[in-house]
Amino acid sequence: RVKQDNPDGGASRTMQATCGQLSVVDLAGSERVKRSGVTGSNFKEATNINGSLLALGNVIQALADKRKHIPFRDSKLTRILEGSVGGNCKTSLLVCVSPADTSTSETLS
């Protein structure tokens, strides 16, 4: 609630505002390093992506289990998304999965 005084000396008024946050994150998919054959800086990036996805999965599992400690500090991604996945919020996930038979094991993991 915000109280606004009238500069002309008239009656003040109280207004109510609702704030929101929209976080759009492209997680770039889980990288199977052996399957994709990445090397060098791409290997490091794939490793970081996997670490962030693992940390996000741990946070979601801890929230679902209603644990006292939620490991938001385990990665930069979970720190950024803390306000979007915990507490009083609504969260939606858009997941793209490959329909190819060769991707079945990765899709189900």
Side-chain angles (χ1 to χ4, degrees):
R1 293 187 179 261
V2 177
K3 185 177 181 182
Q4 182 179 23
D5 294 322
N6 190 334
D8 298 330
S12 63
R13 61 183 177 173
T14 302
M15 298 180 286
Q16 185 172 347
T18 302
C19 296
Q21 176 179 339
L22 174 65
S23 300
V24 179
V25 180
D26 180 3
L27 296 175
S30 176
E31 298 291 336
R32 300 277 185 197
V33 176
K34 286 184 181 178
R35 183 176 172 192
S36 62
V38 296
T39 57
S41 63
N42 290 338
F43 175 79
K44 186 175 180 179
E45 181 181 5
T47 304
N48 289 336
I49 290 169
N50 285 337
S52 293
L53 288 173
L54 177 63
L56 180 60
N58 291 339
V59 164
I60 292 170
Q61 188 64 54
L63 288 167
D65 294 343
K66 298 187 187 307
R67 293 187 206 146
K68 287 184 179 181
H69 173 71
I70 310 299
F72 287 114
R73 293 185 175 193
D74 287 357
S75 80
K76 288 181 184 180
L77 176 66
T78 53
R79 286 182 190 181
I80 291 168
L81 294 178
E82 183 174 355
S84 298
V85 295
N88 185 18
C89 66
K90 294 182 181 182
T91 304
S92 297
L93 295 174
L94 175 64
V95 181
C96 298
V97 277
S98 173
D101 289 338
T102 57
S103 300
T104 302
S105 64
E106 188 169 348
T107 299
L108 296 175
S109 67

